[in-house]
């Protein structure tokens, strides 16, 4: 993996661990209702942009085992 990809993996991993620690004694619905609307909107916009910009090529193979 390139340095940029390693950095992305590290940031996502640290973010998930911090979110897990923050929500240990709560749930996501309660946490989101406590946040200001601007923060929630910014988070949704950031996630949508991340999906759009990192979708890669259309040759992805998805394997489902039934």
């Amino acid at each position: 993996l390139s340095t940029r990809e390693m950095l992305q993996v590290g940031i996502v991993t640290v973010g998930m661990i911090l979110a897990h620690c923050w929500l240990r004694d709560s749930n996501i619905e309660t946490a989101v209702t406590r946040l200001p609307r601007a923060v929630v909107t910014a988070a949704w916009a950031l996630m949508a942009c991340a999906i759009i910009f990192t979708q890669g090529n259309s040759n992805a193979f998805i394997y489902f085992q039934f």
Side-chain angles (χ1 to χ4, degrees):
L1 295 174
S2 69
T3 304
R4 183 182 63 84
E5 291 169 339
M6 292 292 285
L7 185 61
Q8 286 176 335
V9 170
I11 290 171
V12 169
T13 303
V14 169
M16 289 181 69
I17 291 170
L18 290 174
H20 174 75
C21 292
W22 182 51
L23 295 171
R24 182 178 297 148
D25 298 325
S26 182
N27 60 22
I28 192 71
E29 291 86 6
T30 305
V32 170
T33 56
R34 288 185 288 180
L35 293 173
R37 285 186 182 172
V39 173
V40 176
T41 303
W44 277 105
L46 179 68
M47 289 187 284
C49 288
I51 291 170
I52 291 168
F53 292 134
T54 60
Q55 62 185 345
N57 60 12
S58 62
N59 296 330
F61 175 75
I62 300 174
Y63 175 74
F64 293 100
Q65 182 178 3
F66 294 102

